[in-house]
Amino acid sequence: MIFHMTVRSYPMMRKTHLAARRAWRRLRPRLNSCFVGASSGPGHEDRSEDPSAVSAEKPPHMPVMLKEVLQYLDIQPAQVVLDMTFGGGGHTKAILSTVPEVTVLALDRDPTAISLAQQLAKEHFGRVKPMLGRFSELEDLLSNMNVKPGSIDAVLLDAGCSSMQMDEAERGFSLSKDGPLDMRMDGDRYPDMPCAADVVNTLDQQALASILTAYGEERHARKIASAIVEARRVSPITRTQQLASVVAGSFPPAVLYARKDRLNRPAHVATKTFQALRIFVNDELNELHAGLRAAQTLLKPSGRLCVITFHSLEDRLVKRFLRGDDLSNLDHFSQRKQGTKKENLSHEKSDGSVYWLPLRRKVITPEKDDVKENPRGRSSKLRAALRR
């Protein structure tokens, strides 16, 4: 297994992963014999060989805050733009259609997304350059294409999980659709990379609770972790709705949908558990940090950056990065740091990052009409900045 790809961390994340790493090192030797099936999940081998098959079933997802992204990126003709999360290609298609002679470097870690980018590249010869890889691999990928630091005019970073991934049950991201408990954004690129089933069936209760607390900000992490450990003693947890049922079973029936989303709609009690596992399996916060640092290196002076996030952990990281905080000294990034009055006052008086000038002081959120049209974007936040 190459689980170190998931738990490897920058200094800011070390304490967050400590309990999980220790438990994983103790139990990892059992995986080859005990959880071979769990790594791919039941039905995983039946996935279509054509990575673009999902696009034939339904149209790509709607791009989030498209109008705002185009406004703040302010792309000019013949510029070079880096779309760091191509996804369904909505933002890239809009850029190509509105700006003449622009070149888009399209990155995504998901082979399904890259297959769509390759199709788009055929339609716009020479204007779209697909790249399969993670944020942490970006600088090497661009170096191989002879793209030098400080040569890119605009960068869009759309964090989180794409609608295509959520819509395909076999990917294991959605608790409302039964499928193998996978959640790997890289698909089958790394066959030995552990999936969510490996995590819930292998880590001990303390490590599971740590993950749920850190990445799901789940108040009932211990209760849920205990329920998972009890359930897997009877049978391995390998399906999404199986896990959702286990989490739901640890709560009274009356509170199953007691939580509300931003549209005040009932939200399943397992939502934060699924978020936490997905972030942990894909090392999302460390990858986001790597992506922000890459954008800082790659952008020209006066180049523009737009970052879209979907939950508080991501937005908090982006906010602090653009503010110029030293993230390497944060012990437990996911917890809110109140700080002393003196520290808070110093931040208020600070001129901000030496690298970034905010294009808008407050975070940008979707308009009401946009949320009605695209409910999945209801929790999105956009931050835009100019590279000094």
Side-chain angles (χ1 to χ4, degrees), residues 87-342:
H91 289 107
T92 287
K93 290 177 183 177
I95 292 170
L96 292 170
S97 64
T98 57
V99 186
E101 300 180 10
V102 69
T103 299
V104 179
L105 307 173
L107 175 75
D108 206 291
R109 64 191 293 180
D110 190 334
T112 300
I114 290 301
S115 71
L116 297 178
Q118 291 168 341
Q119 293 174 21
L120 190 64
K122 294 177 181 178
E123 299 170 11
H124 300 269
F125 182 75
R127 298 183 66 196
V128 179
K129 302 183 184 300
M131 297 178 291
L132 177 62
R134 304 175 178 183
F135 296 154
S136 56
E137 301 168 330
L138 176 59
E139 291 188 58
D140 288 338
L141 290 169
L142 290 178
S143 177
N144 293 335
M145 297 172 61
N146 295 318
V147 177
K148 300 183 182 301
S151 64
I152 292 177
D153 298 287
V155 173
L156 169 62
L157 197 165
D158 187 348
C161 186
S162 75
S163 292
M164 293 188 304
Q165 291 166 337
M166 294 294 293
D167 288 337
E168 189 177 359
E170 291 298 302
R171 300 299 297 272
F173 289 97
S174 175
L175 63 83
S176 64
K177 299 178 180 181
D178 189 41
L181 192 56
D182 193 330
M183 300 193 188
R184 294 172 299 173
M185 290 182 174
D186 299 275
D188 291 326
R189 288 182 64 211
Y190 303 106
D192 291 334
M193 178 182 176
C195 64
D198 294 321
V199 176
V200 300
N201 287 295
T202 307
L203 297 186
D204 61 28
Q205 184 172 325
Q206 180 182 353
L208 288 172
S210 176
I211 290 170
L212 299 183
T213 299
Y215 302 121
E217 299 184 301
E218 174 58 72
R219 291 178 298 170
H220 305 287
R222 291 183 181 179
K223 178 191 292 188
I224 295 172
S226 176
I228 289 173
V229 170
E230 288 297 319
R232 75 189 190 193
R233 287 173 182 165
V234 178
S235 177
I237 303 171
T238 61
R239 309 289 294 183
T240 53
Q241 292 196 340
Q242 183 185 3
L243 175 60
S245 296
V246 169
V247 175
S250 64
F251 291 89
V255 301
L256 183 59
Y257 284 98
R259 292 176 174 175
K260 305 290 184 182
D261 64 17
R262 293 201 171 194
L263 294 181
N264 203 35
R265 301 179 304 185
H268 196 283
V269 292
T271 300
K272 291 185 176 181
T273 297
F274 272 66
Q275 172 187 304
L277 290 172
R278 191 202 79 215
I279 293 173
F280 182 72
V281 165
N282 295 288
D283 200 18
E284 289 181 36
L285 295 186
N286 283 318
E287 284 296 321
L288 175 57
H289 188 213
L292 291 169
R293 295 194 305 176
Q296 184 168 288
T297 300
L298 294 164
L299 275 171
K300 292 178 178 179
S302 298
R304 292 176 174 238
L305 170 68
C306 281
V307 185
I308 300 174
T309 59
F310 291 87
H311 55 75
S312 60
L313 300 180
E314 293 172 341
D315 180 62
R316 207 174 304 150
L317 192 158
V318 174
K319 178 181 178 180
R320 293 181 181 182
F321 181 86
L322 296 178
R323 192 171 63 187
D325 287 2
D326 182 6
L327 301 183
S328 65
N329 292 329
L330 295 179
D331 291 336
H332 196 291
F333 179 78
S334 63
Q335 292 181 348
R336 294 180 183 273
K337 294 284 185 178
Q338 297 299 325
T340 63
K341 289 184 178 179
K342 184 177 180 180

Side-chain angles (χ1 to χ4, degrees), residues 22-56:
R22 287 174 176 171
W24 192 266
R25 281 197 295 266
R26 290 197 304 269
L27 298 176
R28 187 171 62 176
R30 303 181 191 177
L31 282 174
N32 290 336
S33 59
C34 296
F35 293 106
V36 173
S39 291
S40 56
H44 190 83
E45 65 278 2
D46 295 329
R47 185 182 299 169
S48 173
E49 294 181 1
D50 180 6
S52 64
V54 66
S55 64

